[in-house]
């Protein structure tokens, strides 16, 4: 069927690589991380994933660097580092 | 609660895709992410004009892994009712039709359609994400902007009070009304799941602090949302078949001494920075009075 | 109600409003969403009776406004159902935003428009300013002269709207009171016949479906928007052929064939009046009277306003020496809406040796009858001697 109506389909990065928007980069200090899951829970971008062992990983292609994860981390295991 | 506790309630599956056009720290993104997790993808979303009209992605891309019908500002509730009835006529069961609308699309321009759908008890879930102003057009006041708040159309601060919309919806005698906050995702997800068990009109009013419009740093969205609840300015409750119940943290805040002073919440936000001591006392007074009324509701239920 | 059952055709005495309800019922509409307004009200009252009497398996959404009526139809159509609504005048204007949405979203919705004047001052009577306000929105607009045509047009409208080459909403108009509340004998085709002509809607691949997470109406940038507007126009242009084909097929089944326009004694006519709706019957009478007096008069009845029946009109009008367009509508600061379109059609097609006169008549239900049309014809027979030109006449203005 030819396209007659504007249909949009799901795609990661609908706005491109939004990681480029970042001013501060959140970096997880895994020696401090207690795996509580709050950074994953509170990420507005769904840019933190949990691996098979539920360890959080930040998807830097899309992380906009809002810093909520660092702000909510109860053990201060996420540092915000200024992007170059 | 810990990882295990969170994962018992919050599925890992994501329906909001990363790399969407939302601002950093966006509460609409947060809320949508939780809402769609709670619905498990079995939903059709109706989205009137709002920030989310942008967040859903520029054509030909969608940021959501559920079907979406974008619709005009005032038309969300009636459009959703049309979809819901069509699905029933077509014998398609078990699909939740959900409106996701902002405070302008809900309490102002969309109120007539919302009230109509509520009164008809249309089988839809209506979620208002309340960021307390018209953010997509650049921070103009809405009827849900609170007293005192700066917006571009209330440069000296809003002089009127915030409309109590969840209670107005509850007066339509619909089966389920709840308030929620993006700072309390477990509470929100449980409420969505409870709501969709009902056939008929369900309403969830989601408090959604907006860093851009409220003038606080993007990393404070959750912190501000939590402070709204901790100070008692925003109250988490549900009204199930007319029965009122405080939920989550709010259920432990009946004793005024448990509530933080409102200033803890206000002072984090640039939109309130011009407030005088009198203004702040007035806001505190209003909150205390509101809680006295809530006490009455708690006792009655 | 009088029912004359003859072989396979049931005849009922119906107003246009009831004929519309019967048409929607025969089309097996699935969702009815409407808000009452005089003179449309009986359409939805009758449909409510059909639904509650279980004669029609459909759901009625008793919306709180016309804006919501069209919104609900949009939702229903987007989810694959067959919706129907009807309105008039202020109601149509109130749903105006959603009118454009329905066309832009390419949704096969059918709407009855009982054409009525726009306030202020209040007037509930016949006028075409309302339906012509949606002229540029992408809707197909079909007008009806009689209750029979209303019924036939509504059934055909679904075939046209749902046609894969078209996929656009259709408005079917008829006049307030003169049609809406005037009963006439109407032949009702058998349900099986209509079912064979109009099968259930086969939803397009892009209807809302939880298994296919597509998003409708997302933001387009300047690089994309224009093409979608172009495609709406393409759908409308293709609709011209579809409307004719559907009208022919309907004719084979019922004996009542429909085209884009109806010509009455135009072949050798020096003067042709173009009109639409209930006025056409009186113009036919005027033509017959004048023909007996030796005048070569003819009538073109517009059935289809959008898409504009360019070729059909040109063929009918190109040999005439004067063309009068009598309409219940006016573009403020310009002239009769249909007249200016027809005038420019003639001129852009190189037909210059013709006088065109825009008659603004019957606004707000002002009476206009056979004698008026005879007067208009006679005045056109004088004006045709001018050879060319365009003029706007407010017919029958008082004081």
């Amino acid at each position: 069927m030819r396209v007659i109506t504007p249909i949009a389909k799901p795609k990661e990065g609908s706005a491109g690589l939004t990681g480029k928007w970042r001013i501060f980069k959140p970096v997880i200090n895994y020696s401090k991380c207690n795996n509580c899951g709050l950074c994953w829970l509170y990420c507005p971008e769904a840019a933190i994933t949990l691996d098979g062992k539920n360890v959080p990983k930040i998807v830097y292609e899309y992380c906009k660097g809002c810093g909520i994860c660092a702000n909510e981390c109860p053990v201060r295991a996420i540092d915000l580092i200024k992007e170059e | 609660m810990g990882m295990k506790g969170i994962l018992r309630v919050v599925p890992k599956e994501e329906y909001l895709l990363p790399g969407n056009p939302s601002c950093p720290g966006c509460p609409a993104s947060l809320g949508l992410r939780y809402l769609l997790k709670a619905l498990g993808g079995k939903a059709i979303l109706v989205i009137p004009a709002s920030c989310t009209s942008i967040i859903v992605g520029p054509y030909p891309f969608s940021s959501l892994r559920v079907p979406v019908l974008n619709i005009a500002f005032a038309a969300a509730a009636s459009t959703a009712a049309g979809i819901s009835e069509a699905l029933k006529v077509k014998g398609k069961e078990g699909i939740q039709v959900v409106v996701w609308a902002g405070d302008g699309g809900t309490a102002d321009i969309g109120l007539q359609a919302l009230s109509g759908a509520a009164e008809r008890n249309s089988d839809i879930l209506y979620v208002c994400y309340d960021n307390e102003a018209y953010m997509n057009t650049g921070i103009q006041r809405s009827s849900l902007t609170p007293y005192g708040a700066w917006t571009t159309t209330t440069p000296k601060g809003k002089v009127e009070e915030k409309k109590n919309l969840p209670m107005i919806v509850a007066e339509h005698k619909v089966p389920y009304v709840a308030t929620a906050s993006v700072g309390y995702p477990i509470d929100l997800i449980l409420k969505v799941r409870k709501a969709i068990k009902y056939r008929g009109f369900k309403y969830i009013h989601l408090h959604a602090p907006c860093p851009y419009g409220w003038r606080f740093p993007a990393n404070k969205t959750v912190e501000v949302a939590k402070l709204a609840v901790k100070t008692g300015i925003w109250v988490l409750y549900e009204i199930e078949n007319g029965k009122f119940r405080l939920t989550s943290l709010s259920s432990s805040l009946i004793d005024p001494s448990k509530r933080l002073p409102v200033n803890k919440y206000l002072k984090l936000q640039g939109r309130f920075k011009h407030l005088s001591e009198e203004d702040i006392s007035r806001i505190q007074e209003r909150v205390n009075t509101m809680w006295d009324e809530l006490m009455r509701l708690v006792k009655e239920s | 109600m009088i029912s004359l059952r003859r072989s396979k055709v049931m005849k009922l005495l119906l107003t246009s409003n009831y004929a519309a309800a019967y048409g929607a019922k025969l089309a097996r509409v699935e969702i009815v969403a409407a808000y009452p307004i005089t003179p449309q009200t009986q359409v939805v009252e009758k449909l409510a009776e059909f639904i509650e009497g279980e004669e029609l398996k459909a759901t009625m959404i008793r919306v709180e406004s016309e804006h919501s009526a069209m919104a609900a139809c949009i939702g229903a159509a987007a989810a694959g159902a067959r919706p129907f609504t009807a309105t008039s005048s202020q109601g149509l204007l109130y749903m105006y935003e959603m009118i454009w949405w329905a066309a832009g979203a390419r949704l096969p919705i059918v709407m009855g428009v009982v054409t009525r004047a726009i306030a202020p001052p209040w007037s509930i009577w016949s006028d075409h300013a309302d339906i012509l306000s949606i002229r540029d929105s992408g809707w197909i607009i079909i007008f009806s002269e009689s209750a029979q045509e209303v019924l036939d047009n509504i059934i055909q409208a679904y075939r046209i709207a749902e046609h894969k080459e078209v996929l656009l909403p259709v408005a079917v108009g008829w006049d307030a009171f003169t049609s809406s509340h005037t009963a006439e004998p109407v032949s009702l085709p058998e349900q099986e016949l209509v079912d064979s002509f109009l099968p259930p809607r086969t939803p397009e691949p892009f209807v809302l479906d939880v298994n296919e997470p597509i998003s409708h109406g997302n933001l387009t940038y300047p690089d994309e928007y224009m093409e979608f507007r172009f495609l709406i126009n393409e759908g409308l242009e293709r609709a011209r052929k579809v409307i004719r084909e559907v009208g022919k097929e309907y004719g084979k089944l019922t004996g009542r064939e429909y085209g884009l326009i109806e010509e009455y004694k135009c072949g050798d006519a020096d003067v042709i009046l173009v009109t639409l709706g209930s006025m056409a019957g009186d113009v036919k009478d005027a033509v017959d009277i004048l023909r007996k007096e030796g005048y070569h008069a003819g009538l073109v009845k517009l059935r289809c306003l959008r898409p504009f029946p360019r070729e059909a009109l040109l063929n009918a009008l190109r040999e005439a020496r004067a063309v009068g367009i009598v309409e219940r509508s006016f573009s403020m600061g310009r002239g009769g809406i249909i007249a200016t379109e027809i005038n420019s059609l003639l001129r852009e097609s190189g037909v210059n040796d013709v006088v065109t006169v825009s008659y603004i008549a019957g606004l707000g239900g002002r009476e206009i009858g056979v004698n008026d049309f005879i007067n208009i014809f006679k005045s056109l027979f004088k004006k045709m001697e001018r050879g060319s030109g365009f003029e706007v006449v407010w017919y029958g203005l008082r004081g």
Side-chain angles (χ1 to χ4, degrees):
Chain A
M1 171 115 197
R2 51 194 295 228
V3 177
I4 58 158
T5 185
I7 288 167
K9 294 190 174 165
K11 184 182 177 288
E12 274 192 8
S14 65
L17 295 174
T18 50
K20 289 179 183 164
W21 301 6
R22 217 166 36 233
I23 297 167
F24 289 96
K25 178 181 183 175
V27 178
I28 301 175
N29 181 343
Y30 288 101
S31 64
K32 283 192 193 169
C33 171
N34 66 356
N35 244 24
C36 70
L38 286 180
C39 59
W40 171 77
L41 182 66
Y42 284 123
C43 176
E45 197 60 27
I48 298 178
T49 59
L50 296 177
D51 69 9
K53 291 178 180 164
N54 293 333
V55 176
K57 289 231 156 54
I58 297 171
V59 183
Y60 289 112
E61 285 90 338
Y62 299 124
C63 166
K64 292 167 183 163
C66 69
I68 289 178
C69 54
N71 199 60
E72 296 309 312
C73 178
V75 293
R76 303 209 167 273
I78 302 177
D79 299 313
L80 290 175
I81 297 161
K82 190 138 195 320
E83 291 278 356
E84 315 235 315
Chain B
M1 155 173 249
M3 177 74 85
K4 276 190 182 152
I6 292 172
L7 289 176
R8 260 199 296 276
V9 179
V10 189
K12 277 191 184 179
E13 186 84 10
E14 301 288 354
Y15 300 91
L16 170 82
L17 296 170
N20 65 64
S22 65
C23 302
C26 172
S29 275
L30 260 182
L32 263 176
R33 185 170 167 242
Y34 302 142
L35 170 73
L36 296 176
K37 280 173 181 282
L39 294 165
K42 280 283 200 187
I44 292 173
L45 245 60
V46 176
I47 299 174
S50 56
C51 285
T52 309
S53 313
I54 308 301
I55 298 170
V56 292
Y59 169 84
F61 306 128
S62 170
S63 318
L64 304 181
R65 285 178 49 224
V66 292
V68 173
L69 186 62
N70 285 284
I71 201 72
F73 218 169
S78 37
T79 303
I83 296 172
S84 168
E85 294 300 345
L87 293 176
K88 286 185 174 56
V89 167
K90 292 289 178 192
K92 292 181 186 169
E93 294 288 332
I95 302 162
Q96 196 53 234
V97 183
V98 182
V99 171
W100 173 263
D103 46 305
T106 302
D108 296 340
I109 195 169
L111 184 62
Q112 176 175 305
L114 164 67
S115 174
E119 183 269 337
R120 293 189 305 273
N121 203 24
S122 290
D123 187 18
I124 62 174
L125 169 62
Y126 194 113
V127 183
C128 167
Y129 74 99
D130 180 7
N131 54 26
E132 302 192 328
Y134 289 80
M135 294 313 178
N136 198 33
T137 43
I139 327 169
Q140 294 80 34
R141 64 87 87 178
S142 79
S143 64
L144 297 190
T145 301
Y147 170 81
W150 163 91
T151 67
T152 57
T153 50
T154 54
K156 290 182 175 174
K158 191 185 174 195
V159 293
E160 301 87 4
E161 292 290 332
K162 181 180 174 82
K163 194 191 277 184
N164 190 352
L165 200 64
M167 286 300 180
I168 292 169
V169 178
E171 283 302 323
H172 289 71
K173 311 300 177 196
V174 297
Y176 189 81
V177 172
T179 58
S181 160
V182 295
Y184 295 85
I186 306 288
D187 179 67
L188 166 63
I189 289 171
L190 294 175
K191 281 169 174 167
V192 172
R193 289 198 180 129
K194 191 182 268 191
I196 61 174
K197 286 187 182 147
Y198 287 96
R199 212 178 161 98
F201 194 87
K202 292 84 64 176
Y203 180 81
I204 295 178
H205 196 110
L206 179 64
H207 198 233
C210 168
Y212 157 76
W214 296 12
R215 298 301 194 230
F216 63 78
N219 65 343
K220 302 272 184 211
T221 303
V222 171
E223 189 179 332
V224 170
K226 284 183 172 171
L227 277 169
V229 173
K230 287 176 184 168
T231 54
I233 274 198
W234 188 250
V235 187
L236 302 174
Y237 63 80
E238 64 183 3
I239 305 171
E240 208 176 340
N241 284 321
K243 200 168 159 22
F244 178 90
R245 193 174 76 87
L246 292 168
T247 69
S248 189
L249 185 73
S250 295
S251 59
S252 60
L253 299 182
I254 291 174
D255 175 357
S257 69
K258 297 275 165 53
R259 301 195 289 265
L260 296 177
V262 291
N263 201 25
K264 293 244 180 211
Y265 169 71
L266 302 176
K267 73 177 186 198
L268 277 182
Q269 305 169 50
R271 64 172 175 163
F272 291 123
K273 72 165 189 255
H274 58 282
L275 292 188
S276 63
E277 285 301 316
E278 291 77 28
D279 285 327
I280 294 167
S281 314
R282 176 191 158 134
I283 292 169
Q284 186 65 64
E285 277 301 302
R286 292 290 163 105
V287 169
N288 297 346
T289 311
M290 175 180 73
W291 275 89
D292 291 344
E293 286 163 18
L294 290 169
M295 283 285 288
R296 189 176 51 76
L297 287 174
V298 170
K299 279 178 191 153
E300 278 172 10
S301 280
Chain C
M1 231 176 277
I2 305 160
S3 130
L4 313 158
R5 201 170 235 294
R6 263 192 290 126
S7 64
K8 283 204 150 186
V9 179
M10 163 114 83
K11 275 217 170 190
L12 292 180
L13 197 57
L14 297 178
T15 63
S16 284
N17 279 353
Y18 282 172
Y22 273 93
K25 172 172 168 267
L26 285 165
R28 294 192 189 274
V29 300
E30 295 169 307
I31 299 287
V32 179
Y35 188 77
I37 180 169
T38 303
Q40 152 269 29
T41 322
Q42 298 159 334
V43 183
V44 270
E45 284 175 347
K46 195 74 192 163
L47 280 165
E49 264 178 60
F50 287 149
I51 293 168
E52 301 222 333
E54 293 180 1
E55 287 178 67
L56 171 63
K57 195 177 169 294
T59 302
M60 179 162 257
I61 308 178
R62 294 164 180 87
V63 286
E64 77 300 326
S65 75
E66 288 89 357
H67 195 277
S68 283
M70 187 48 67
C73 286
I74 286 168
R82 184 176 281 168
F84 178 76
T85 187
T87 190
S88 277
S89 180
Q90 312 298 131
L92 187 67
L93 299 195
Y94 194 69
M95 67 164 66
Y96 196 63
E97 180 186 27
M98 304 321 289
I99 290 282
W100 284 69
W101 204 283
R106 306 302 298 265
L107 295 171
I109 296 163
V110 173
M111 166 174 67
V113 181
V114 191
T115 52
R116 166 190 145 176
I118 292 168
W122 283 117
S123 166
I124 55 170
W125 292 279
S126 191
D127 196 292
H128 296 160
D130 55 357
I131 198 165
L132 280 159
S133 75
I134 69 170
R135 181 188 64 166
D136 301 332
S137 64
W139 279 64
I140 291 165
I141 306 171
I142 288 174
F143 217 87
S144 325
E145 179 187 346
S146 63
Q148 183 70 62
E149 287 190 9
V150 170
L151 178 128
D152 293 342
N153 282 338
I154 282 174
I155 294 167
Q156 291 172 72
Y158 282 100
R159 268 288 297 276
I160 299 161
E162 293 170 10
H163 196 287
K164 298 291 178 271
E165 291 289 307
V166 177
L167 286 174
L168 284 168
V170 180
V172 175
W174 60 94
D175 283 310
F177 299 104
T178 36
S179 295
S180 68
H181 288 63
T182 308
E184 302 168 88
V186 175
S187 295
L188 253 64
E190 295 261 289
Q191 183 68 60
E192 301 84 78
L193 193 77
V194 177
D195 289 346
S196 71
F197 172 79
L198 178 68
R201 179 179 164 201
T202 49
E204 302 67 38
F206 51 78
V207 298
L208 293 168
D209 176 4
V210 276
N211 300 314
E212 196 60 55
I214 53 176
S215 186
H216 290 260
N218 287 30
L219 178 74
T220 53
Y221 288 112
D223 275 348
E224 296 124 357
Y225 181 83
M226 205 162 150
E227 280 67 27
F228 289 110
R229 304 312 289 178
F230 178 78
L231 287 168
I232 294 171
N233 185 57
E234 269 205 329
L236 262 180
E237 294 287 346
R238 282 196 297 268
R240 207 175 274 119
K241 183 162 164 269
V242 173
I243 293 166
R244 274 201 315 267
E245 283 168 4
V246 167
K248 267 191 193 138
E249 193 184 326
Y250 192 80
K252 277 186 196 139
L253 292 174
T254 62
R256 295 183 298 278
E257 190 179 316
Y258 289 85
L260 297 169
I261 63 170
E262 185 187 319
E263 293 177 50
Y264 187 71
K265 301 189 179 172
C266 289
D268 63 343
D270 294 317
V271 174
I272 297 176
L273 275 193
V274 182
T275 191
L276 67 161
S278 58
M279 288 188 288
D282 283 347
V283 178
K284 279 178 196 166
D285 291 346
V287 167
D288 291 342
I289 292 165
L290 287 166
R291 287 252 163 197
K292 278 182 196 150
E293 294 175 20
Y295 290 98
H296 288 226
L299 159 74
V300 166
K301 181 176 95 184
L302 274 169
R303 177 181 180 236
C304 186
L305 300 177
R306 279 293 182 275
F308 190 57
R310 274 192 307 257
E311 290 76 19
L313 278 171
L314 198 57
N315 283 339
L317 302 177
R318 72 175 338 137
E319 300 301 328
R321 297 176 62 197
V323 174
I325 300 96
V326 186
E327 60 183 307
R328 297 179 189 270
S329 46
F330 188 76
S331 171
M332 293 298 169
R334 180 64 182 95
I337 296 171
I338 299 168
T340 47
E341 291 201 342
I342 288 179
N343 184 55
S344 67
L345 168 75
L346 292 170
R347 310 300 169 193
E348 78 202 17
S349 311
V351 183
N352 290 316
D353 50 346
V354 61
V355 175
T356 42
V357 183
S358 168
Y359 289 97
I360 311 306
L363 302 193
R366 173 76 54 89
E367 201 69 31
I368 178 162
V370 180
N371 286 334
D372 299 298
F373 294 119
I374 290 173
N375 285 342
I376 288 171
F377 265 121
K378 286 192 172 165
S379 123
L380 279 169
F381 275 100
K382 282 185 200 138
K383 289 179 197 278
M384 79 180 181
E385 301 302 335
R386 295 182 197 159
S388 190
F390 177 74
E391 182 189 354
V392 179
V393 174
W394 284 69
Y395 180 82
L397 267 191
R398 290 170 195 167

